[in-house]
Amino acid sequence: LLSKRSCSTLIRRFETYFFIELLRILAPFSSLLLIFINNMKLGSSNSPSDMESGKSTVEEEMKKLLTSETPQNPSSPEPAESPTKADAPIVSSLGLRILTLLAFQNCFKNLLMRFIMKDKPDFLTSAAVIGVEVVKLILCVLYIVIIDRRSLWSIIEFMKDDYKHAILLTIPAAAYSFQMSMEYVALANLDAAIFSVLVQSKLLTTASFSAVILRKRFKFIQIVSLILLTVGVMLININNMKEGSDDNSNNIKGVMATLGIAVSSGFASVYTEKVIKAQRSNNVSRKNYSLAYMQVQLALVSLVILGIYAVIIDYEKIRDNGLLHNFTTGAFVSVFNSAIGGLTVAAVLKYADSVLKSYATAISVVMTGVLSMILFGTQLNAIYGLGIVNVVCAVLLYNGKNLDKLAC
């Protein structure tokens, strides 16, 4: 018979072993619960990297707890695996908000501009693009003065210290201004649904410029995605020309304007990566300035380029009728929408990686097609459906990650 002391010792050992085994079972769930509570406390300020670091810290602590208190028992069951990075959710709560914002912004901008331009109003597109940059400039200056609580002199100092970067910005600023002008032309001649698909050919032009200028190499899956994109764009073009056979001249004009947007966007992206990022001025510490300063810099450079463009192209019309001749309420609305939308997208892009942007693009393409059919009566047939499936799959595959995993 065992003594009372021996019994109590056995009971304590049994309780300790039971408690340790219970910790083994609950460790994964406890770590996830701690991560969830931590994210709820910090809110949307958490970045994905913070979430991963917090997760790994919790797992390390749990591992230390288990290894330090667990007796060596060969017959004991294997500890449960902690959740890995691959088990994390595809899109965080902050990413989901950014995804929704980008998708709705892209969709709403195309639909609104199509609504305004479908009757081909007779105002100067150069004036509209200048108006967009003026509104952006005013909003950014107000942000610096009211939100950042800094003086106007700080803007002058930033421009003076970073003038080399401003000079380098002339090419992407000119490309961006050209894109905005071509959007008015394209959406005056194409449905928003067709435009939203065709403009995704900028992925193909960007890849082409990257291969030629940056000597970038591509994965097999990216080559497949570019082929899918090309097929999708060709299907949409064939369908568009077939349906609009009575007005082929306008369709061709809209398609050429859209392809011009794609080419200029691809070149500007590659130029920015090769020249501006590589030769950014070291005289200015950009950490001391908010994004609003960079937007002011870009707006000022764009206004200089747009002013020269307007004088060369529309000088006689501006001299005879003024810059804002036939500028309708819809034109003013489109100007404010483009300005605010551009600033919003620029503000959230630092939180969105390429995968998130590709999701937003795919969603906006589908939304634009459906809403264009509802609002404008756009006829969407099987060929358009095949084209949009090709384009959406191409966008997702090009920037996709972990594509070798099992889906089910």
Side-chain angles (χ1 to χ4, degrees), residues 142-169:
L142 291 176
Y143 182 92
I144 291 171
V145 174
I146 298 174
I147 306 299
D148 287 349
R149 297 185 179 278
R150 303 184 70 172
S151 64
L152 296 176
W153 182 252
S154 64
I155 301 176
I156 299 175
E157 287 183 341
F158 175 79
M159 295 296 297
K160 183 175 64 175
D161 293 338
D162 203 29
Y163 70 94
K164 292 182 179 179
H165 186 258
I167 295 173
L168 293 175
L169 274 177

Side-chain angles (χ1 to χ4, degrees), residues 7-275:
C7 289
S8 60
T9 302
L10 287 175
I11 291 172
R12 282 197 301 270
R13 288 180 179 178
F14 176 79
E15 288 175 346
T16 302
Y17 181 80
F18 177 80
F19 177 74
I20 290 171
E21 291 301 316
L22 184 63
L23 278 179
R24 286 180 180 277
I25 297 172
L26 296 180
F29 304 99
S30 302
S31 62
L32 289 176
L33 180 61
L34 290 175
I35 295 164
F36 176 76
I37 294 172
N38 182 53
N39 288 338
M40 290 295 292
K41 288 180 180 179
L42 296 180
S44 62
S45 62
N46 274 4
S47 63
S49 59
D50 296 332
M51 293 174 62
E52 294 299 332
S53 62
K55 184 175 179 180
S56 61
T57 303
V58 172
E59 291 174 353
E60 289 172 3
E61 293 299 325
M62 295 300 297
K63 186 176 180 181
K64 288 179 182 178
L65 178 64
L66 291 176
T67 54
S68 62
E69 295 185 9
T70 305
Q72 298 295 328
N73 188 358
S75 62
S76 62
E78 290 293 327
E81 286 186 26
S82 297
T84 59
K85 185 177 179 179
D87 298 323
I90 296 175
V91 181
S92 64
S93 58
L94 175 61
L96 187 61
R97 290 195 290 270
I98 294 171
L99 173 66
T100 305
L101 179 61
L102 289 176
F104 273 94
Q105 163 60 27
N106 290 338
C107 176
F108 181 71
K109 184 187 75 170
N110 293 336
L111 292 173
L112 177 62
M113 197 170 292
R114 173 58 182 170
F115 176 75
I116 294 167
M117 297 300 298
K118 64 179 181 178
D119 295 327
K120 296 182 175 62
D122 189 24
F123 63 83
L124 299 178
T125 57
S126 59
V129 180
I130 289 174
V132 170
E133 296 302 325
V134 169
V135 172
K136 287 170 62 176
L137 179 62
I138 294 173
L139 292 176
C140 290
V141 170
L142 291 176
Y143 182 92
I144 291 171
V145 174
I146 298 174
I147 306 299
D148 287 349
R149 297 185 179 278
R150 303 184 70 172
S151 64
L152 296 176
W153 182 252
S154 64
I155 301 176
I156 299 175
E157 287 183 341
F158 175 79
M159 295 296 297
K160 183 175 64 175
D161 293 338
D162 203 29
Y163 70 94
K164 292 182 179 179
H165 186 258
I167 295 173
L168 293 175
L169 274 177
T170 53
I171 293 180
Y176 177 65
S177 302
F178 174 77
Q179 291 174 47
M180 287 195 294
S181 300
M182 289 298 101
E183 282 182 0
Y184 284 96
V185 177
L187 287 165
N189 296 279
L190 290 175
D191 287 322
I194 306 299
F195 171 79
S196 66
V197 177
L198 293 182
V199 79
Q200 301 311 318
S201 56
K202 62 187 177 183
L203 185 65
L204 180 61
T205 60
T206 303
S208 301
F209 282 119
S210 298
V212 174
I213 299 176
L214 300 178
R215 303 295 180 185
K216 183 178 179 180
R217 303 179 69 181
F218 297 96
K219 301 176 183 177
F220 284 111
I221 192 68
Q222 291 177 318
I223 300 296
V224 172
S225 71
L226 293 176
I227 295 173
L228 281 175
L229 177 65
T230 305
V231 172
V233 170
M234 289 175 64
L235 284 172
I236 296 297
N237 275 326
I238 292 172
N239 181 63
N240 184 44
M241 296 303 175
K242 183 178 178 181
E243 289 187 351
S245 56
D246 297 335
D247 197 11
N248 273 338
S249 59
N250 287 338
N251 284 333
I252 294 174
K253 187 177 181 180
V255 169
M256 294 304 296
T258 307
L259 294 179
I261 293 173
V263 172
S264 63
S265 174
F267 176 75
S269 299
V270 174
Y271 175 87
T272 301
E273 183 174 352
K274 182 174 179 62
V275 179

